[in-house]
Amino acid sequence: MKLIAKTYEGLEPVLQKELEELGANNILAGKRAVTYDGDKELLYRSNLHLRTAIKILVHIEHFEAKNEDQLYNKAKDFDWFQYLNLSQTFSIETSVNSEIFRHSKYVAYRVKDAIADKFTDKKGRRPNVNTYNPDVKFNIKIFNDQVEISLDSSGDSLHMRGYKVEGLTAPLSEVLAAGILLNSNFQEFTDFLDPMCGSGTLVTEALMINTSTAPNIFRERFGFMSWRDFEYSLWERLKTEAKEKTTKPTISFKGMDIDRKAVFASKKNLSMLPHGDMVNIENGDFFKYNKCPEHRFLMFNPPYDLRIQTDEIINFYMEIGNKLKKEFVPATAWIFSANLEALKHVGLKHTAKVKLMNAKLPAELRKYDVY
Ligand SMILES: C[S@@+](CC[C@H](N)C(=O)[O-])C[C@H]1O[C@@H](n2cnc3c(N)ncnc32)[C@H](O)[C@@H]1O
């Protein structure tokens, strides 16, 4: 099978590496996606183990369509019965980049008609559409006149790991947090501090990486579970194997936040994880923190405050730099932010930089070696 792991822009190389470690073949990184070959076992393992994938698609059909009628006719020719039956519901997700097809909703509508008409012609009835919780989710990608049809094996986005019970207003996506961490060198240290941890996404994902905990081991639903060929025993075996591979933490983890609600959220989320109780979450102001010499590694996701480029946010980033220079020597600090202007004011020379996106915002992850 040709499989497609989708990700956020900038995380393709990390996802490619994850797939190599998972034993995938013919891996090819593209834009926001990495394609590879695999069987059903690798499909399940991808959903369970890939930290930087948003979803895993299974490619099932490819054709050329020069106009809407061709799209409808070729879609109707396709053997949908292999993947869908009358008792199942379905939905269609589209991504369209084409001069011919300009409206993704219209594409979804035409393909839905093609499926419905095919069923009605052959079986006298058609399966129902359910956009919220479908049994089978088809993904249609059109680039110019090239139409690709895939099955979405994940269902909901894989950033929904199943451990987050308490969120805040602007938490990082778990997939992005994992990507940030896998771009960093945190595993070379014996301590990890997130001084502005919010709901604890970075510290939680770091703990999971360090303990080899499969990111989606706590998630209960995946798209492939309502497919006709779902192999419960295979899935259970893979989960058991994954659980057996988890280890104890080799790093001491700490998160801190000035906001009590954030501290509460972090603690609650961590309580869902094995060894989550070993992570120390404190309420405090980073600028007043006095146990700095205990820490050699810091990972920041400071506030962005992008609505207004005030002096206040510039000063905030300057103060982070000052505190690092004065009290964390030597240390390695990484800062991830979508406020690129404020990042310029940290006042330390960065030694590495990774360009990423945070939702639709260009963002950067910068490394600072403080001597
Ligand atoms: C962008 S959010 C972090 C989001 C977090 N990565 C998550 O996934 O939930 C920035 C956090 O910095 C915290 N913060 C702001 N000033 C702080 C300070 N002086 N000391 C500690 N935390 C601070 C805020 O309360 C907020 O939770």
Side-chain angles (χ1 to χ4, degrees):
M1 292 192 289
K2 183 178 154 200
L3 305 177
I4 306 146
K6 308 264 287 174
T7 189
Y8 299 127
E9 196 170 330
L11 292 182
E12 302 89 345
V14 186
L15 178 55
Q16 175 166 2
K17 193 153 172 267
E18 282 200 274
L19 279 161
E20 283 161 10
E21 283 163 9
L22 215 54
N25 288 318
N26 297 329
I27 305 170
L28 195 67
K31 196 164 186 199
R32 293 193 296 270
V34 181
T35 56
Y36 56 107
D37 291 339
D39 55 8
K40 196 192 279 184
E41 176 166 334
L42 188 62
L43 175 69
Y44 291 2
R45 278 156 52 78
S46 301
N47 276 286
L48 185 59
H49 289 280
L50 290 177
R51 299 181 196 277
T52 56
I54 312 167
K55 58 177 57 194
I56 317 295
L57 303 176
V58 181
H59 182 266
I60 53 172
E61 176 68 331
H62 175 235
F63 56 78
E64 196 179 85
K66 300 266 184 218
N67 56 48
E68 283 154 10
D69 286 342
Q70 273 189 12
L71 173 70
Y72 170 86
N73 288 327
K74 291 196 177 174
K76 198 176 168 196
D77 282 346
F78 181 62
D79 180 12
W80 298 96
F81 306 118
Q82 285 182 71
Y83 306 102
L84 184 66
N85 65 33
L86 279 169
S87 60
Q88 291 174 308
T89 58
F90 73 102
S91 74
I92 294 169
E93 202 174 67
T94 45
S95 71
V96 176
N97 183 355
S98 167
E99 288 292 314
I100 309 168
F101 304 98
R102 290 174 178 272
H103 302 288
S104 58
K105 276 205 176 134
Y106 189 69
V107 166
Y109 181 73
R110 290 303 280 159
V111 175
K112 185 209 73 180
D113 274 356
I115 298 175
D117 294 348
K118 175 109 189 180
F119 269 87
T120 313
D121 288 357
K122 285 259 157 72
K123 314 230 173 213
R125 281 195 304 124
R126 43 158 290 190
N128 288 327
V129 171
N130 178 342
T131 42
Y132 296 103
N133 192 18
D135 295 317
V136 184
K137 204 170 177 179
F138 295 105
N139 186 290
I140 314 289
K141 182 176 161 219
I142 304 191
F143 183 69
N144 296 332
D145 58 0
Q146 300 299 307
V147 182
E148 267 185 35
I149 304 178
S150 306
L151 285 167
D152 182 343
S153 73
S154 307
D156 287 333
S157 163
L158 293 175
H159 82 274
M160 296 159 90
R161 312 279 207 221
Y163 66 74
K164 195 164 264 183
V165 280
E166 238 8 94
L168 288 174
T169 36
L172 276 181
S173 147
E174 290 74 358
V175 165
L176 179 58
I180 289 169
L181 292 158
L182 292 174
N183 266 300
S184 84
N185 59 343
F186 83 94
Q187 299 254 60
E188 292 168 17
F189 295 82
T190 52
D191 71 284
F192 180 103
L193 172 64
D194 178 350
M196 302 180 182
C197 69
S199 59
T201 320
L202 282 162
V203 77
T204 309
E205 291 292 322
L207 173 72
M208 290 175 91
I209 293 170
N210 182 242
T211 55
S212 301
T213 304
N216 286 317
I217 194 86
F218 307 109
R219 195 174 134 126
E220 283 175 2
R221 290 290 314 159
F222 293 85
F224 60 76
M225 288 178 168
S226 35
W227 294 358
R228 287 156 55 177
D229 69 348
F230 176 46
E231 244 180 84
Y232 179 77
S233 56
L234 170 61
W235 175 243
E236 283 301 309
R237 172 168 71 75
L238 297 178
K239 281 210 316 185
T240 308
E241 276 173 21
K243 281 182 191 154
E244 283 166 2
K245 285 203 179 115
T246 58
T247 57
K248 288 203 175 119
T250 54
I251 294 177
S252 68
F253 290 96
K254 180 166 179 162
M256 184 165 58
D257 204 285
I258 199 162
D259 180 356
R260 280 183 192 281
K261 287 200 290 286
V263 172
F264 173 78
S266 288
K267 283 188 177 168
K268 193 135 190 215
N269 294 331
L270 279 159
S271 73
M272 306 295 289
L273 291 185
H275 312 295
D277 56 345
M278 290 169 76
V279 179
N280 179 3
I281 302 287
E282 241 178 58
N283 182 217
D285 181 349
F286 169 67
F287 300 109
K288 296 187 184 146
Y289 187 59
N290 58 15
K291 293 185 205 142
C292 313
E294 285 177 18
H295 302 281
R296 299 279 74 91
F297 183 90
L298 298 94
M299 175 60 80
F300 287 85
N301 171 219
Y304 309 151
D305 211 349
L306 276 177
R307 284 153 297 170
I308 21 158
Q309 294 277 357
T310 56
D311 287 350
E312 216 179 310
I313 195 77
I314 302 278
N315 279 337
F316 190 91
Y317 280 64
M318 268 166 68
E319 287 308 320
I320 293 178
N322 288 339
K323 176 99 179 163
L324 288 172
K325 275 186 271 192
K326 282 191 203 134
E327 298 177 53
F328 287 91
V329 188
T332 292
W334 291 78
I335 305 182
F336 174 76
S337 177
N339 193 326
L340 303 181
E341 185 54 35
L343 262 182
K344 290 184 195 153
H345 296 267
V346 171
L348 287 161
K349 203 170 174 307
H350 58 269
T351 51
K353 181 169 89 173
V354 187
K355 288 188 179 206
L356 297 168
M357 295 292 287
N358 189 5
K360 293 202 159 61
L361 298 173
E364 275 182 19
L365 171 67
R366 292 189 179 186
K367 180 188 185 198
Y368 303 93
D369 289 303
V370 193
Y371 295 103

